[in-house]
Amino acid sequence: MLRRRVLDSAFGAGHSVRSLSTRASDILSKFSIRPDAELKGVYDGTWRGSGEVIQSICPTTGEVLANVRTASPAEVQETLAKTREAYVKWRNEPAPRRGEVLRQIREALAAKREDLGALVSLEMGKILTEGVGEVQEFVDICDYGVGLSRMMNGRVVASERPGHSILEMPNPLGVVGVLSAFNFPVAVYGWNLALSLAAGNATIWKPSPTTPLCSIAVTRIISQVLEANGIPGAVASLVNGGKEAGEAVVESPGVELVSFTGSERVGRIVGQNVASRFGKVILELGGNNASIIMPDADLSLAVPAVFFGAVGTAGQRCTSTRRLYLHRQVADEFLGRLKTLYGSVAVGDPLAKDTLLGPLHTSTACDVYTQAVEKLRSLNADIITGGERYQRDGLQGGNFVQPTIALPKSVNPKDGIWSTEIFAPILNVAIFDELEEAIEWNNAVPQGLSSSLWTRDIRNVGRWIGPAGSDAGIVNVNVGTSGAEIGAAFGGNKSTGWGRESGGDAWKQYVRWSACTVNFSDAAPLAQGVSFAS
Ligand code: NAD
């Protein structure tokens, strides 16, 4: 039931004693979040917060879910210092012991999977199955981190000098600052935390200011495990706050690695700031992902996959399908079938079982959507379906927009409508005749995150995944652009930032590599036969 009631002011300006909808209060009660309480948004072994108050606003109803005290500038610095102290202790724990703590975190998260998934759905707005799936991703990466804790191997390199060995050794790196986006308020932190903890680092997390409750709930779960094991809680610190808190973490010389997930605009600033102090950075920025449909594609698989890619999470995944390139031979049939699916999409409360389309995260995102559609219309694009905000009963309180398919007049990928990531369910379509042309369009945008080719022809597959193929970080075949697994390194190229997180070799960025030449002999020869005898 969607219901909103705001009662008397009890805290002064901007704060209210509220009676929340049952859907919200039921979920919040699982995390002991009371609607009339002000939550502390900072954790570094103790919970506190004396900075500005931010509100968590439900995208489905518009109701204020909670008020959260952010970190004051001094508290950010204090938390940074506490995180470093915690790192100095944590780095001495043997890696398998760190893995054991991670295993306990995994168990604690799994026990709360449904509740936490519901909180993600409530606060972010994605449908419940995706919210739960996001928590599962955190559980999965913890499993991976537990395994890694016994496999973060260096190597022994042959030395040219007699009686010498060269070791390439991974050691803990230091403090990792994790700055995350609103759309994956749990999983992105999980990717970083699991690898970082296994590697012997401490993390300081600055989540999106619009999803503070997810960050508090996750940190409560993790801190209980840490504290039960006698480990300083600041191994996994939290500072809620806005741009200033993010800047403080990014600029701190005590943060060895900044892992930033967010927009290209902010990522550009963050990347430059970290580089200016010679810090390490992982950038996971915007995507502008294309699916290409060849004439031999199995449309019974491709159409639903494009539907999920473009409409799932209301188009708010970094990997959402934003561009669709259809071979002329199948264009009409594909569009007909896709339009039918769009027409049947169940829109509404993302917590309801049958809903496939929830709201956009903020009302500002609705404005971005509206402006993008207006721009398409001004360029005489054919709006095949959608293009409006939902006005029907029960949806007006939230940020609901119609999923949109547009056929722009221009197919030039350099045009703004093709080259910009619009974080909303808008799918632009163009028709091609040769695969080379579609690959050229795929690669012509600034971003390089995900891409997908649908074909049964092995020759097309070879072209697509080879040197002249897709230049994205994710190059799928008969799989949509969205929905990655944790096992492979995740990330994109070009203006997506070149970052890699999660599986593959991503862990190697979270350690400090040393090349150690050890001399076991009774002589001290120089390399390359250099003689320096006096
Ligand atoms: P955003 O860039 O607005 O914010 C991201 C984070 O940066 C937030 O925590 C924000 O408070 C912080 N921030 C803002 N200004 C800052 C500054 N000057 N210095 C330091 N931190 C600052 O992004 P968003 O709107 O929350 O998220 C959507 C974007 O994230 C989309 O572009 C999406 O594609 C991208 N994203 C990318 C990936 C990926 O893996 N490539 C994953 C998820 C989201």
Short mmCIF file of all heavy atoms in Angstrom, two decimals, residues 453-495:
data_model
loop_
_atom_site.label_atom_id
_atom_site.label_comp_id
_atom_site.label_asym_id
_atom_site.label_seq_id
_atom_site.Cartn_x
_atom_site.Cartn_y
_atom_site.Cartn_z
N LEU A 453 26.30 -8.42 -29.06
CA LEU A 453 25.98 -8.81 -30.44
C LEU A 453 25.11 -10.06 -30.42
O LEU A 453 25.42 -11.01 -29.69
CB LEU A 453 27.28 -9.11 -31.21
CG LEU A 453 27.09 -9.63 -32.64
CD1 LEU A 453 26.60 -8.52 -33.57
CD2 LEU A 453 28.39 -10.24 -33.17
N TRP A 454 24.06 -10.03 -31.24
CA TRP A 454 23.17 -11.19 -31.34
C TRP A 454 23.32 -11.79 -32.72
O TRP A 454 22.97 -11.17 -33.72
CB TRP A 454 21.73 -10.77 -31.05
CG TRP A 454 21.57 -10.39 -29.60
CD1 TRP A 454 21.88 -9.19 -29.05
CD2 TRP A 454 21.14 -11.23 -28.53
NE1 TRP A 454 21.67 -9.22 -27.69
CE2 TRP A 454 21.20 -10.47 -27.34
CE3 TRP A 454 20.69 -12.56 -28.45
CZ2 TRP A 454 20.84 -10.98 -26.10
CZ3 TRP A 454 20.33 -13.07 -27.20
CH2 TRP A 454 20.41 -12.28 -26.05
N THR A 455 23.84 -13.01 -32.75
CA THR A 455 24.08 -13.69 -34.02
C THR A 455 24.28 -15.17 -33.76
O THR A 455 24.62 -15.57 -32.65
CB THR A 455 25.34 -13.12 -34.72
OG1 THR A 455 25.50 -13.77 -35.99
CG2 THR A 455 26.61 -13.37 -33.90
N ARG A 456 24.10 -16.00 -34.79
CA ARG A 456 24.43 -17.43 -34.69
C ARG A 456 25.62 -17.76 -35.58
O ARG A 456 26.00 -18.91 -35.70
CB ARG A 456 23.22 -18.28 -35.12
CG ARG A 456 22.05 -18.22 -34.17
CD ARG A 456 22.39 -18.85 -32.84
NE ARG A 456 21.22 -19.04 -32.00
CZ ARG A 456 21.28 -19.16 -30.70
NH1 ARG A 456 22.44 -19.06 -30.07
NH2 ARG A 456 20.20 -19.37 -29.99
N ASP A 457 26.17 -16.75 -36.21
CA ASP A 457 27.24 -16.95 -37.19
C ASP A 457 28.59 -16.75 -36.51
O ASP A 457 28.92 -15.64 -36.07
CB ASP A 457 27.05 -15.94 -38.34
CG ASP A 457 28.01 -16.20 -39.49
OD1 ASP A 457 29.12 -16.72 -39.24
OD2 ASP A 457 27.66 -15.85 -40.64
N ILE A 458 29.38 -17.82 -36.48
CA ILE A 458 30.65 -17.78 -35.76
C ILE A 458 31.61 -16.74 -36.36
O ILE A 458 32.44 -16.17 -35.66
CB ILE A 458 31.29 -19.20 -35.75
CG1 ILE A 458 32.45 -19.31 -34.76
CG2 ILE A 458 31.74 -19.63 -37.12
CD1 ILE A 458 32.02 -19.48 -33.35
N ARG A 459 31.44 -16.45 -37.65
CA ARG A 459 32.33 -15.45 -38.27
C ARG A 459 32.04 -14.06 -37.70
O ARG A 459 32.95 -13.27 -37.46
CB ARG A 459 32.16 -15.46 -39.79
CG ARG A 459 32.66 -16.74 -40.44
CD ARG A 459 32.17 -16.87 -41.85
NE ARG A 459 30.69 -16.91 -41.90
CZ ARG A 459 29.98 -17.08 -43.00
NH1 ARG A 459 30.58 -17.19 -44.18
NH2 ARG A 459 28.68 -17.12 -42.98
N ASN A 460 30.78 -13.78 -37.46
CA ASN A 460 30.44 -12.49 -36.84
C ASN A 460 31.00 -12.39 -35.42
O ASN A 460 31.48 -11.33 -35.00
CB ASN A 460 28.91 -12.33 -36.75
CG ASN A 460 28.27 -12.23 -38.12
OD1 ASN A 460 28.92 -11.84 -39.08
ND2 ASN A 460 27.00 -12.62 -38.21
N VAL A 461 30.94 -13.53 -34.72
CA VAL A 461 31.45 -13.55 -33.34
C VAL A 461 32.95 -13.22 -33.35
O VAL A 461 33.44 -12.42 -32.55
CB VAL A 461 31.19 -14.92 -32.68
CG1 VAL A 461 31.81 -14.97 -31.28
CG2 VAL A 461 29.70 -15.21 -32.61
N GLY A 462 33.66 -13.85 -34.28
CA GLY A 462 35.10 -13.61 -34.38
C GLY A 462 35.42 -12.14 -34.62
O GLY A 462 36.33 -11.58 -34.00
N ARG A 463 34.66 -11.53 -35.52
CA ARG A 463 34.91 -10.11 -35.80
C ARG A 463 34.63 -9.25 -34.58
O ARG A 463 35.35 -8.32 -34.25
CB ARG A 463 34.00 -9.64 -36.96
CG ARG A 463 34.72 -9.69 -38.29
CD ARG A 463 33.84 -9.16 -39.38
NE ARG A 463 32.97 -10.23 -39.89
CZ ARG A 463 32.07 -10.07 -40.83
NH1 ARG A 463 31.88 -8.89 -41.39
NH2 ARG A 463 31.35 -11.08 -41.25
N TRP A 464 33.54 -9.58 -33.89
CA TRP A 464 33.05 -8.78 -32.75
C TRP A 464 34.00 -8.79 -31.56
O TRP A 464 34.23 -7.77 -30.92
CB TRP A 464 31.68 -9.34 -32.37
CG TRP A 464 30.99 -8.75 -31.19
CD1 TRP A 464 30.61 -9.42 -30.05
CD2 TRP A 464 30.52 -7.40 -31.02
NE1 TRP A 464 29.94 -8.58 -29.20
CE2 TRP A 464 29.88 -7.33 -29.77
CE3 TRP A 464 30.58 -6.25 -31.80
CZ2 TRP A 464 29.30 -6.17 -29.28
CZ3 TRP A 464 30.02 -5.08 -31.31
CH2 TRP A 464 29.39 -5.05 -30.07
N ILE A 465 34.58 -9.97 -31.27
CA ILE A 465 35.43 -10.05 -30.07
C ILE A 465 36.91 -9.85 -30.40
O ILE A 465 37.75 -9.87 -29.50
CB ILE A 465 35.22 -11.38 -29.28
CG1 ILE A 465 35.70 -12.59 -30.08
CG2 ILE A 465 33.77 -11.55 -28.87
CD1 ILE A 465 35.66 -13.89 -29.27
N GLY A 466 37.23 -9.66 -31.69
CA GLY A 466 38.62 -9.54 -32.11
C GLY A 466 39.11 -8.10 -32.19
O GLY A 466 38.44 -7.17 -31.74
N PRO A 467 40.30 -7.92 -32.81
CA PRO A 467 40.95 -6.60 -32.82
C PRO A 467 40.10 -5.49 -33.46
O PRO A 467 40.20 -4.33 -33.07
CB PRO A 467 42.22 -6.83 -33.65
CG PRO A 467 42.33 -8.29 -33.86
CD PRO A 467 41.07 -8.95 -33.47
N ALA A 468 39.30 -5.82 -34.45
CA ALA A 468 38.48 -4.79 -35.10
C ALA A 468 37.05 -4.81 -34.57
O ALA A 468 36.14 -4.27 -35.19
CB ALA A 468 38.49 -5.00 -36.61
N GLY A 469 36.85 -5.43 -33.42
CA GLY A 469 35.50 -5.56 -32.88
C GLY A 469 35.16 -4.48 -31.88
O GLY A 469 35.69 -3.36 -31.93
N SER A 470 34.31 -4.83 -30.93
CA SER A 470 33.84 -3.86 -29.94
C SER A 470 35.00 -3.40 -29.07
O SER A 470 35.81 -4.22 -28.61
CB SER A 470 32.77 -4.50 -29.06
OG SER A 470 32.51 -3.66 -27.96
N ASP A 471 35.06 -2.09 -28.80
CA ASP A 471 36.15 -1.57 -27.96
C ASP A 471 35.70 -1.38 -26.51
O ASP A 471 36.37 -0.70 -25.73
CB ASP A 471 36.67 -0.25 -28.54
CG ASP A 471 35.63 0.87 -28.50
OD1 ASP A 471 34.50 0.65 -27.99
OD2 ASP A 471 35.93 1.99 -28.98
N ALA A 472 34.58 -2.00 -26.13
CA ALA A 472 34.09 -1.85 -24.77
C ALA A 472 34.80 -2.83 -23.82
O ALA A 472 35.46 -3.77 -24.26
CB ALA A 472 32.58 -2.09 -24.74
N GLY A 473 34.63 -2.60 -22.52
CA GLY A 473 35.20 -3.52 -21.53
C GLY A 473 34.42 -4.81 -21.45
O GLY A 473 34.96 -5.85 -21.08
N ILE A 474 33.14 -4.76 -21.78
CA ILE A 474 32.28 -5.94 -21.74
C ILE A 474 31.78 -6.19 -23.16
O ILE A 474 31.12 -5.32 -23.76
CB ILE A 474 31.09 -5.73 -20.78
CG1 ILE A 474 31.62 -5.52 -19.36
CG2 ILE A 474 30.13 -6.91 -20.83
CD1 ILE A 474 30.56 -5.08 -18.36
N VAL A 475 32.13 -7.33 -23.72
CA VAL A 475 31.82 -7.63 -25.12
C VAL A 475 31.07 -8.96 -25.14
O VAL A 475 31.67 -10.03 -25.12
CB VAL A 475 33.13 -7.70 -25.96
CG1 VAL A 475 32.81 -7.95 -27.43
CG2 VAL A 475 33.93 -6.41 -25.81
N ASN A 476 29.74 -8.88 -25.16
CA ASN A 476 28.90 -10.07 -25.02
C ASN A 476 28.42 -10.58 -26.37
O ASN A 476 28.28 -9.81 -27.34
CB ASN A 476 27.69 -9.76 -24.14
CG ASN A 476 28.09 -9.55 -22.68
OD1 ASN A 476 29.16 -9.98 -22.26
ND2 ASN A 476 27.22 -8.91 -21.92
N VAL A 477 28.11 -11.86 -26.40
CA VAL A 477 27.52 -12.49 -27.59
C VAL A 477 26.29 -13.26 -27.15
O VAL A 477 26.38 -14.14 -26.28
CB VAL A 477 28.53 -13.46 -28.27
CG1 VAL A 477 27.88 -14.12 -29.48
CG2 VAL A 477 29.80 -12.73 -28.67
N ASN A 478 25.16 -12.93 -27.71
CA ASN A 478 23.88 -13.56 -27.36
C ASN A 478 23.57 -13.43 -25.86
O ASN A 478 22.95 -14.32 -25.26
CB ASN A 478 23.84 -15.02 -27.81
CG ASN A 478 23.94 -15.13 -29.32
OD1 ASN A 478 23.44 -14.27 -30.04
ND2 ASN A 478 24.61 -16.16 -29.79
N VAL A 479 24.07 -12.38 -25.28
CA VAL A 479 23.81 -12.00 -23.88
C VAL A 479 23.63 -10.48 -23.91
O VAL A 479 24.37 -9.80 -24.63
CB VAL A 479 25.02 -12.37 -22.98
CG1 VAL A 479 24.86 -11.78 -21.60
CG2 VAL A 479 25.19 -13.89 -22.90
N GLY A 480 22.66 -9.98 -23.17
CA GLY A 480 22.41 -8.53 -23.19
C GLY A 480 23.56 -7.73 -22.59
O GLY A 480 24.55 -8.29 -22.11
N THR A 481 23.42 -6.41 -22.61
CA THR A 481 24.51 -5.56 -22.12
C THR A 481 24.60 -5.57 -20.60
O THR A 481 25.64 -5.25 -20.04
CB THR A 481 24.33 -4.09 -22.58
OG1 THR A 481 23.08 -3.60 -22.09
CG2 THR A 481 24.39 -3.96 -24.09
N SER A 482 23.49 -5.89 -19.93
CA SER A 482 23.51 -5.75 -18.48
C SER A 482 23.42 -7.08 -17.76
O SER A 482 23.00 -8.08 -18.32
CB SER A 482 22.43 -4.79 -18.13
OG SER A 482 21.45 -4.85 -17.65
N GLY A 483 23.90 -7.09 -16.51
CA GLY A 483 23.79 -8.31 -15.70
C GLY A 483 25.08 -9.11 -15.67
O GLY A 483 25.12 -10.26 -16.09
N ALA A 484 26.15 -8.48 -15.17
CA ALA A 484 27.45 -9.16 -15.14
C ALA A 484 27.57 -10.05 -13.90
O ALA A 484 26.88 -9.85 -12.91
CB ALA A 484 28.57 -8.13 -15.14
N GLU A 485 28.45 -11.04 -13.99
CA GLU A 485 28.75 -11.89 -12.84
C GLU A 485 30.04 -11.40 -12.17
O GLU A 485 30.85 -10.73 -12.80
CB GLU A 485 28.96 -13.33 -13.29
CG GLU A 485 27.76 -13.93 -14.00
CD GLU A 485 28.03 -15.34 -14.49
OE1 GLU A 485 28.92 -16.01 -13.95
OE2 GLU A 485 27.35 -15.75 -15.44
N ILE A 486 30.25 -11.82 -10.93
CA ILE A 486 31.40 -11.27 -10.19
C ILE A 486 32.75 -11.88 -10.61
O ILE A 486 33.79 -11.33 -10.31
CB ILE A 486 31.23 -11.42 -8.65
CG1 ILE A 486 31.07 -12.89 -8.24
CG2 ILE A 486 30.07 -10.59 -8.14
CD1 ILE A 486 32.30 -13.45 -7.62
N GLY A 487 32.71 -13.02 -11.30
CA GLY A 487 33.97 -13.73 -11.59
C GLY A 487 34.91 -13.01 -12.53
O GLY A 487 36.12 -13.11 -12.42
N ALA A 488 34.33 -12.28 -13.50
CA ALA A 488 35.18 -11.55 -14.46
C ALA A 488 35.43 -10.14 -13.95
O ALA A 488 34.60 -9.59 -13.21
CB ALA A 488 34.49 -11.51 -15.81
N ALA A 489 36.53 -9.57 -14.35
CA ALA A 489 36.79 -8.17 -14.00
C ALA A 489 35.74 -7.30 -14.68
O ALA A 489 35.47 -7.45 -15.86
CB ALA A 489 38.19 -7.77 -14.45
N PHE A 490 35.15 -6.40 -13.92
CA PHE A 490 34.07 -5.56 -14.43
C PHE A 490 34.58 -4.14 -14.64
O PHE A 490 35.21 -3.57 -13.75
CB PHE A 490 32.90 -5.54 -13.44
CG PHE A 490 31.77 -4.66 -13.87
CD1 PHE A 490 30.70 -5.18 -14.59
CD2 PHE A 490 31.77 -3.30 -13.60
CE1 PHE A 490 29.66 -4.37 -15.00
CE2 PHE A 490 30.74 -2.47 -14.02
CZ PHE A 490 29.69 -3.01 -14.72
N GLY A 491 34.26 -3.55 -15.78
CA GLY A 491 34.61 -2.15 -15.98
C GLY A 491 34.65 -1.80 -17.45
O GLY A 491 34.47 -2.66 -18.31
N GLY A 492 34.87 -0.53 -17.72
CA GLY A 492 34.80 -0.07 -19.10
C GLY A 492 36.01 0.75 -19.50
O GLY A 492 36.80 1.19 -18.66
N ASN A 493 36.12 0.97 -20.80
CA ASN A 493 37.26 1.68 -21.38
C ASN A 493 36.89 3.13 -21.71
O ASN A 493 35.78 3.56 -21.49
CB ASN A 493 37.74 0.93 -22.63
CG ASN A 493 38.07 -0.53 -22.31
OD1 ASN A 493 38.43 -0.84 -21.17
ND2 ASN A 493 37.95 -1.41 -23.29
N LYS A 494 37.84 3.85 -22.25
CA LYS A 494 37.63 5.24 -22.70
C LYS A 494 37.02 6.10 -21.58
O LYS A 494 37.48 6.02 -20.44
CB LYS A 494 36.79 5.22 -23.99
CG LYS A 494 37.41 4.34 -25.08
CD LYS A 494 36.73 4.50 -26.42
CE LYS A 494 35.31 3.98 -26.44
NZ LYS A 494 34.65 4.10 -27.75
N SER A 495 35.97 6.86 -21.87
CA SER A 495 35.48 7.78 -20.83
C SER A 495 34.73 7.04 -19.72
O SER A 495 34.29 7.66 -18.74
CB SER A 495 34.60 8.89 -21.42
OG SER A 495 33.34 8.39 -21.76
#
